[in-house]
Amino acid sequence: MITLVRRVTAACVLGAALTACAATPQPVRPAPSATPTAPSAPPTLAPGPGGLTPVFKNGSRTHGRTVALTFDADMTADQGARAAAGEHFDNPGLIAALRALRVPATVFMTGRWAEQYPEQARSLGRDPLFEVANHSYSHYAFTGDCYGLPTVSGDRMRADVERAYAAFRRAGVPDARPYFRFPGGCYDRRALKALTPVGVTAVQWDVVSGDAFATDAEAVTRQLLEGVRPGSVVVMHCTRSAAPTTERVVRAVVPQLRERGFRFVKVSELIGS
């Protein structure tokens, strides 16, 4: 601004003999601000044959060495008494490890888990390192004969999933993803049809870590490392009582996979790539 004033003053002095210098410097107007754009919707897959809910198992094998670590935060509708008695269905140490290692991850959460641990659900949902997805409200199976789980009737499947999303909102999760993981990974055509109106993409996996009920962290680590390929989706668990080795496994596999050139991503990035 100092330079502008000096130039205008000099012009007035030089032109004084001919005409009066009455020009006034025009103020600089700021450029109009850009209109904020709405956040883009999370990527989903197109419906399957007959309009059925689409199923995603892994990402591209050729678009870079990416891998998605996913964690099931399991809690059934009738496990409140066990939680009240001191059983831990959460795993703060695992989440702290993921944050310390800067590993993006997708947490498939039951609505009952969000109700039991609302502060943790809210923290995960508001941390850009993570994304929260749906693992049903009650962790009841959507088919018969699924690892001994109780079952949801066909006419209650949609309501069960929507009830979970409602629980996330009450806990303060601002933007749960439109991804659904069937309890036990069990589904059939009837289940896919029942969830079509919800508009979710069902997310399975291609690597079973084996952390559920495991006590040997080294064995789980070996199994995970042997199974990972570019585009893999790894299924793990975020429950101390049912998967006590998971934090140790994560601390072991993350640096090894990074040494192999893998980059950790959320499920949404795999689906969108």
Side-chain angles (χ1 to χ4, degrees), residues 7 22 37 72 96 99 126 128 138 148 193 226 242 257-258 270 272:
R7 288 179 177 173
T37 57
D72 291 357
R99 284 174 168 146
R126 296 182 178 182
S138 58
K193 183 177 181 179
E226 289 171 0
L257 287 174
R258 281 177 169 156
L270 282 187

Side-chain angles (χ1 to χ4, degrees), residues 239-262:
T239 46
R240 274 181 286 175
S241 60
T245 67
T246 309
E247 178 187 345
R248 281 178 285 161
V249 171
V250 164
R251 291 187 182 276
V253 301
V254 166
Q256 294 187 58
L257 287 174
R258 281 177 169 156
E259 287 178 2
R260 297 182 185 180
F262 279 94

Side-chain angles (χ1 to χ4, degrees), residues 124-202:
L124 288 166
R126 296 182 178 182
D127 187 337
L129 194 64
F130 303 105
E131 60 186 4
V132 171
N134 197 312
H135 195 32
S136 80
Y137 174 79
S138 58
H139 202 258
Y140 285 7
F142 282 55
T143 66
D145 191 24
C146 182
Y147 303 102
L149 291 173
T151 58
V152 178
S153 61
D155 61 344
R156 295 296 302 165
M157 291 177 182
R158 174 181 176 180
D160 187 86
V161 175
E162 292 175 338
R163 186 180 179 187
Y165 279 121
F168 301 156
R169 290 191 293 271
R170 288 194 301 271
V173 176
D175 187 26
R177 306 281 89 175
Y179 309 138
F180 177 73
R181 174 163 287 166
F182 287 99
C186 304
Y187 68 93
D188 55 17
R189 182 181 177 84
R190 182 183 70 157
L192 295 176
K193 183 177 181 179
L195 298 189
T196 297
V198 186
V200 294
T201 292

Side-chain angles (χ1 to χ4, degrees), residues 184-253:
C186 304
Y187 68 93
D188 55 17
R189 182 181 177 84
R190 182 183 70 157
L192 295 176
K193 183 177 181 179
L195 298 189
T196 297
V198 186
V200 294
T201 292
V203 176
Q204 296 290 96
W205 55 83
D206 67 318
V207 178
V208 177
S209 69
D211 67 333
F213 307 106
T215 57
D216 187 343
E218 292 185 2
V220 177
T221 298
R222 286 195 302 271
Q223 180 166 313
L224 194 159
L225 291 173
E226 289 171 0
V228 168
R229 300 168 58 195
S232 281
V233 176
V234 182
V235 60
M236 307 181 79
H237 294 81
C238 187
T239 46
R240 274 181 286 175
S241 60
T245 67
T246 309
E247 178 187 345
R248 281 178 285 161
V249 171
V250 164
R251 291 187 182 276
V253 301

